[in-house]
Amino acid sequence: MTTLISNSGDTRGRRRVVPPRSARENVLRVTTRLARLHGLDKFSINDVSAQLGISKSLVYDRFQSRAELVSEVLVEYYSGLLRDANAATRATPKGIRRLVRILDMWLSEYVLQEGGCLLLRGATECCSRADELIRDTMRFAVDAWRRCLHEQLCDAAAGGEIPGSVDTRQLEFEIYSFVLGIQHDCMFLGEPVSFRSAAFPGILRRHGIILPHDVALRT
């Protein structure tokens, strides 16, 4: 078991026990990384077990099938994304400010990291796949995340930051597509992302929405 020695305040010299990851957590962690780097279909249980230095049977002791493993990865991934969004906006007012803070977090901590955002990358792969478990889990995760974004737009509309004539579903679609475009250009074209994020205020302006002067994407 790993221990750390704290060197701050009255805890100096005390040993804080840091529990190791469980075998299940390690399998999920490695599978998530492989899925982000290579896509949902271009790795096997053998790849997972080899990276962990364990037998394939130990993976199957915890997950009945590859589909179940990938499905669980998607659930954990979305849950982590939502937790990070909630943590990032804990002190941020509802509405446009909270939306921008969520987009900042999403871009910097997921989309622009190695492999990009698994929801954005994996959703395209799931469009034509026959595996119902993985496809349905991905659909649930993407829908849930888009609902999170839409809730911020509804809060902004309720607070008078968005004109009543604006179709918030259309705006949600444009914002989601905007982030998807950033991931595509960054990952596949290798283009800088700065001018892409600068286009965000233009999306809002087309709908009669002006960002507060102290609010902007920092990516």
Side-chain angles (χ1 to χ4, degrees):
M1 184 171 290
T2 305
T3 57
L4 295 177
I5 298 177
S6 173
N7 294 312
S8 62
D10 59 5
T11 61
R12 181 172 298 173
R14 296 181 184 177
R15 300 178 72 80
R16 178 170 60 87
V17 176
V18 180
R21 287 190 177 97
S22 69
R24 181 183 178 84
E25 289 172 330
N26 278 325
V27 170
L28 290 172
R29 173 178 57 82
V30 168
T31 305
T32 300
R33 184 173 185 276
L34 290 172
R36 289 182 67 187
L37 289 177
H38 307 301
L40 295 177
D41 292 324
K42 295 183 179 178
F43 68 92
S44 66
I45 295 294
N46 280 332
D47 296 324
V48 175
S49 61
Q51 290 214 4
L52 287 169
I54 62 176
S55 69
K56 190 164 64 171
S57 63
L58 288 177
V59 178
Y60 282 115
D61 282 345
R62 291 159 178 83
F63 302 93
Q64 293 184 1
S65 65
R66 184 185 183 279
E68 181 184 294
L69 170 57
V70 173
S71 179
E72 186 66 23
V73 160
L74 295 176
V75 171
E76 290 291 321
Y77 189 87
Y78 161 69
S79 299
L81 179 57
L82 188 59
R83 284 194 302 271
D84 286 346
N86 289 333
T89 59
R90 193 166 289 128
T92 307
K94 290 182 177 181
I96 291 296
R97 283 178 168 80
R98 185 170 292 185
L99 172 67
V100 172
R101 184 69 193 94
I102 287 176
L103 292 178
D104 261 334
M105 182 282 302
W106 189 20
L107 286 165
S108 63
E109 298 181 24
Y110 287 82
V111 175
L112 299 180
Q113 296 299 314
E114 185 180 31
C117 176
L118 183 56
L119 296 189
L120 294 177
R121 179 171 183 151
T124 302
E125 297 178 54
C126 284
C127 288
S128 59
R129 69 180 303 131
D131 190 309
E132 290 186 4
L133 179 59
I134 295 176
R135 187 185 64 239
D136 291 349
T137 305
M138 177 62 83
R139 182 181 293 119
F140 167 81
V142 171
D143 283 347
W145 179 241
R146 289 183 63 156
R147 281 198 303 272
C148 174
L149 299 178
H150 190 250
E151 285 169 4
Q152 316 315 313
L153 295 173
C154 290
D155 287 339
E161 296 179 295
I162 296 179
S165 59
V166 171
D167 183 342
T168 53
R169 286 294 180 190
Q170 171 66 25
L171 183 52
E172 169 216 313
F173 173 80
E174 291 185 35
I175 291 172
Y176 191 87
S177 301
F178 159 74
V179 177
L180 179 61
I182 285 180
Q183 174 158 303
H184 176 273
D185 285 1
C186 178
M187 285 184 59
F188 297 104
L189 301 182
E191 293 187 0
V193 75
S194 56
F195 81 95
R196 295 283 191 260
S197 57
F200 176 65
I203 294 174
L204 298 183
R205 280 196 298 270
R206 287 200 299 273
H207 294 272
I209 306 163
I210 305 299
L211 280 175
H213 71 280
D214 58 337
V215 176
L217 284 178
R218 296 170 294 181
T219 302

